[in-house]
Amino acid sequence: MEPVLTPFVGEPNAQTLDFALQHRGYEGLRKALGMTPAEIIDAVKKSGLRGRGGAGFPTGMKWGFVPKDSPKPKYLCVNADESEPGTFKDHVLMERNPHLFLEGCVIACRAIGAKVCYIYVRGEFYHLQHVLETELRRAYDAGFVGANILDSGEQIDIYIHRGAGAYEAGEETALIESLEGKRAQPRLKPPFPAVVGLYGCPTVVNNVETICNVPLILDRGAEWYAAIGPEKNTGPKLYCVSGHVKRPGVYETDMSVTLRQLIYDYAGGISGDRELKAVIPGGSSTNVLPADKIDVQASFDGLVQAGSMLGSAGIIVMDETTSMVWVAKNLLHFYEHESCGKCTPCREGTDWLHKILSKIERGEGELRDLDLLFSVADNIGGKTLCPFGDAVVPPVVSTLQHFREEYEAHVRTGRPALAPWRAQEELIGAH
Ligand SMILES: Cc1cc2nc3c(=O)[nH]c(=O)nc-3n(C[C@H](O)[C@H](O)[C@H](O)COP(=O)(O)O)c2cc1C
Ligand code: SF4
């Protein structure tokens, strides 16, 4: 399909307001200003848009949960924290197509009755912050944001907030805590943010890519949007393809695409023309799929049927030289570091899993350690305050399930079980 979220990425000055206005910029907002909030929500529901932040929850339905009769102010928080390993699409949207994004923020605010939008940007995105602030100023000056937007009487303000750079700050209630000036640690749910969110007021938290879809739905129509891609998995989708591929990058298509097409057609196949070994399809928190399972639709529902998830659409490709023990250890190192420490199973369990995997990787593992890995993982998943605990399990359990023989060989020989020429090399991370 023709890209509609990233049509001009790479063209000079594509991020500027002038460029956006030459390419239907803010047409969706013009239409939204002539519609009631209920009509906007209805259009988003009809489009079938599902949230692009990981869970795939229907966006129109989420907006509908915001109480209309609440006397409190309402807020939109856009989640631009993007810290999941393998995921790098949202900052491309904000940096290369900022006006589509800002237009989406204003329309979403109008739909839920919010007068203020906070964009929570990952701390490390320095350049992005500069681009976004410059273009936001231009949007204010041109009357697309701020007081009396396009003479409609509508007032909506947008603030950019830079986080300190923590994966956990992307969890929606942790993000809200962080915006309030506290440590980015999650809150117990319920109550859900739609009713009790930022400053105790009704709040919607949406992903950047989700928000960028909104102007397209308004401008071109819900029917046009709903006709893109498979049923219940509608609209354009950005995929981040990284790892052992010839052309890593962000690719836009619809969700009828398969993992094989994304790896071989879009990303040019495996570097060095080596064999594919495994794929993590949706960011580090989704189950790894072995090479013979890639003829599957890379959609929300297709990947669930294949035993994994679309998640944040961060496709990590691993060739035959990759040690799966190293992969699990490396990811657990990340999770151990990023756990916010609020609940015991996650705080202690991630550390323990990392220690066991490191022991195996050093060549000091025992076969009973493999059962211990399952047991510790089982005592984290589903037993924690926030979904971070569930995210820790897939790298361990899915690599063990699909590559148990490799783990056992590593325990028996003390070395990674890799392609023969690779196994001769020194044990230096085996990657
Ligand atoms: C540990 C953790 C980190 C997360 N990080 C992000 C993130 O960086 N960006 C994001 O949009 N959603 C992230 N999420 C999901 C959000 O909590 C939330 O579901 C999402 O922003 C909702 O947006 P959507 O409905 O538009 O998908 C994270 C969730 C967890 C548990
Ligand atoms: S699961 Fe982990 S990250 Fe989430 S609240 Fe508990 S300790 Fe914090």
Side-chain angles (χ1 to χ4, degrees):
M1 66 163 271
E2 283 293 301
V4 286
L5 290 166
T6 54
F8 308 112
V9 164
E11 286 193 33
N13 299 322
Q15 83 285 3
T16 61
L17 180 60
D18 284 348
F19 192 99
L21 292 176
Q22 286 159 19
H23 297 90
R24 299 198 64 79
Y26 294 96
E27 289 301 317
L29 174 61
R30 285 183 202 282
K31 290 198 184 146
L33 290 172
M35 295 162 75
T36 64
E39 284 169 342
I40 301 173
I41 294 179
D42 203 40
V44 173
K45 279 184 182 165
K46 280 195 183 121
S47 75
L49 171 63
R50 293 169 68 173
R52 301 325 200 209
F57 192 82
T59 306
M61 195 187 288
K62 185 188 256 193
W63 291 0
F65 292 150
V66 175
K68 283 156 204 63
D69 49 0
S70 169
K72 294 180 176 176
K74 302 173 183 85
Y75 294 102
L76 172 70
C77 297
V78 186
N79 196 337
D81 198 50
E82 190 160 63
S83 312
E84 177 108 345
T87 312
F88 43 90
K89 62 184 176 66
D90 292 343
H91 83 268
V92 172
L93 280 169
M94 290 183 286
E95 204 173 290
R96 310 291 173 88
N97 205 351
H99 289 285
L100 181 71
F101 172 57
L102 295 171
E103 184 184 357
C105 293
V106 178
I107 300 172
C109 279
R110 179 164 167 84
I112 63 169
K115 300 292 170 203
V116 173
C117 165
Y118 290 102
I119 302 170
Y120 188 97
V121 182
R122 175 177 172 164
E124 287 91 335
F125 292 157
Y126 295 108
H127 178 62
L128 162 66
Q129 172 107 358
H130 172 71
V131 173
L132 211 49
E133 271 173 0
T134 305
E135 298 310 320
L136 178 58
R137 247 192 330 269
R138 287 181 174 149
Y140 261 103
D141 292 346
F144 296 118
V145 186
N148 195 19
I149 294 173
L150 296 175
D151 295 325
S152 64
E154 181 73 272
Q155 163 141 16
I156 290 164
D157 287 295
I158 297 180
Y159 300 95
I160 301 169
H161 179 97
R162 215 172 90 200
Y167 174 51
E168 186 51 14
E171 195 282 330
E172 57 184 8
T173 59
L175 182 148
I176 288 170
E177 286 280 296
S178 175
L179 268 174
E180 289 180 359
K182 293 175 251 170
R183 287 180 70 176
Q185 289 188 314
R187 295 175 181 171
L188 201 60
K189 291 193 280 192
F192 290 93
V195 183
V196 183
L198 187 64
Y199 308 123
C201 302
T203 301
V204 165
V205 181
N206 270 141
N207 168 261
V208 171
E209 188 186 345
T210 311
I211 291 294
C212 287
N213 277 274
V214 172
L216 299 172
I217 295 168
L218 274 282
D219 183 22
R220 303 184 189 211
E223 290 76 16
W224 165 82
Y225 190 95
I228 301 173
E231 203 187 337
K232 297 194 175 132
N233 295 265
T234 58
K237 182 75 197 91
L238 295 191
Y239 294 93
C240 329
V241 191
S242 66
H244 295 142
V245 284
K246 290 180 185 166
R247 289 195 302 269
V250 175
Y251 295 101
E252 178 179 347
T253 181
D254 66 73
M255 285 187 257
S256 62
V257 74
T258 64
L259 279 182
R260 180 182 296 280
Q261 287 170 318
L262 285 163
I263 296 166
Y264 286 94
D265 299 343
Y266 287 82
I270 311 299
S271 11
D273 291 320
R274 289 194 285 267
E275 292 292 317
L276 173 68
K277 181 169 183 174
V279 184
I280 296 175
S284 61
S285 58
T286 59
N287 282 332
V288 71
L289 294 174
D292 62 356
K293 296 259 183 332
I294 60 167
D295 291 304
V296 55
Q297 212 172 61
S299 62
F300 291 110
D301 297 337
L303 284 168
V304 168
Q305 274 166 23
S308 191
M309 275 175 72
L310 178 63
S312 55
I315 299 171
I316 306 170
V317 180
M318 293 164 279
D319 74 15
E320 58 186 322
T321 67
T322 314
S323 156
M324 298 316 283
V325 176
W326 181 85
V327 168
K329 188 207 82 169
N330 197 32
L331 289 175
L332 260 294
H333 176 60
F334 169 79
Y335 284 110
E336 180 220 2
H337 182 262
E338 295 293 325
S339 167
C340 85
K342 191 163 178 172
C343 42
T344 310
C346 174
R347 186 184 61 242
E348 302 299 326
T350 48
D351 180 49
W352 196 0
L353 288 173
H354 180 231
K355 282 200 172 106
I356 301 166
L357 288 161
S358 302
K359 181 184 159 199
I360 297 172
E361 218 230 350
R362 281 199 309 273
E364 298 164 9
E366 302 161 76
L367 278 180
R368 63 180 178 171
D369 286 333
L370 306 190
D371 295 332
L372 188 57
L373 284 173
F374 274 124
S375 163
V376 177
D378 189 45
N379 279 292
I380 304 174
K383 298 178 178 69
T384 57
L385 185 65
C386 90
F388 182 106
D390 305 324
V392 171
V393 176
V396 179
V397 168
S398 66
T399 53
L400 258 169
Q401 274 166 346
H402 292 298
F403 299 94
R404 185 167 178 115
E405 283 169 14
E406 187 176 327
Y407 271 87
E408 288 179 358
H410 199 133
V411 167
R412 273 199 311 276
T413 65
R415 298 182 67 85
L418 297 175
W421 60 269
R422 182 77 189 180
Q424 303 305 316
E425 296 178 13
E426 278 304 296
L427 186 60
I428 45 163
H431 187 58

